[in-house]
Amino acid sequence: DGMASFDVVSEVVWHEVGNSVDQANREIKNRYDFKGSDAQIQQADSELTILADDEYKVGQALDILEIKLAKRGVDVGCLERGNIEERGGGKAQQKIKIRHGIDTELARELVRKIKAQKIKVQTAIQGQQVRVTGKKRDDLQTVISLLKDQDTPVPLQFTNFRD
């Protein structure tokens, strides 16, 4: 009887983020309440900037974006919202970071939580993910249930199942 394993990851499908930003911008352009404004969402790698006339409109643009992301299967839990700031001409902007990957600190914390439960599995931190290995599928399921209950700074996904 061999070993079973899976990886704990926090991944973002970047082309879906791009598609969501495009769709949100299209909707903002066509919406009556944004008429005559330069409101838009700009993307530079993993950082988005929402530009709008005021704080309220920035919030509306972000709402539109979140709906588009969710529809395309991007977990909005990955968005780290900066403060709304003033920009030129008394208008407003907000920077949004798209967090991805499991950093060393979080990886160690997840490993600690798994070990504390005394489940018969091994854990290994590998780059931006954690591999969990065990003899019994049930033990792996228990680990997944445990991790799903954690409040983590990035959304977790469970991938690469091997039996």
Side-chain angles (χ1 to χ4, degrees):
D1 189 33
M3 297 295 267
S5 67
F6 69 91
D7 296 328
V8 186
V9 300
S10 184
E11 289 172 349
V12 173
V13 182
W14 291 104
H15 74 265
E16 294 296 16
V17 172
N19 288 335
S20 302
V21 169
D22 290 345
Q23 285 188 333
N25 277 326
R26 210 166 309 141
E27 182 168 325
I28 289 166
K29 235 192 219 87
N30 293 324
R31 273 199 21 181
Y32 181 76
D33 52 340
F34 282 101
K35 272 248 185 311
S37 100
D38 67 350
Q40 59 174 293
I41 302 164
Q42 298 172 343
Q43 181 179 2
D45 297 323
S46 62
E47 186 169 82
L48 307 178
T49 307
I50 299 177
L51 307 171
D53 289 341
D54 55 43
E55 193 167 332
Y56 177 71
K57 286 280 197 296
V58 168
Q60 281 191 307
L62 179 55
D63 286 346
I64 293 169
L65 175 67
E66 288 190 349
I67 290 164
K68 303 297 183 196
L69 287 167
K71 274 203 176 122
R72 292 186 160 272
V74 178
D75 189 325
V76 297
C78 70
L79 302 180
E80 184 181 310
R81 298 161 189 75
N83 294 322
I84 297 181
E85 309 154 338
E86 217 173 286
R87 61 183 175 104
K91 295 180 173 189
Q93 70 171 26
Q94 183 178 24
K95 295 220 183 292
I96 310 277
K97 269 201 192 66
I98 299 176
R99 292 176 298 192
H100 55 101
I102 295 176
D103 64 24
T104 311
E105 193 184 331
L106 176 56
R108 286 189 183 134
E109 191 185 316
L110 296 177
V111 166
R112 258 200 312 276
K113 289 192 162 138
I114 294 166
K115 286 192 167 142
Q117 296 295 313
K118 306 274 191 267
I119 307 163
K120 290 198 168 81
V121 294
Q122 284 80 51
T123 50
I125 299 173
Q126 301 180 332
Q128 300 252 292
Q129 59 186 39
V130 178
R131 171 149 303 165
V132 179
T133 310
K135 281 202 168 70
K136 293 202 186 97
R137 270 197 85 123
D138 282 358
D139 292 338
L140 297 185
Q141 289 301 334
T142 305
V143 172
I144 290 173
S145 303
L146 168 74
L147 296 181
K148 278 185 174 162
D149 286 342
Q150 303 303 315
D151 185 20
T152 53
V154 290
L156 302 178
Q157 298 103 29
F158 310 99
T159 62
N160 298 328
F161 286 90
R162 294 199 177 68
D163 258 342

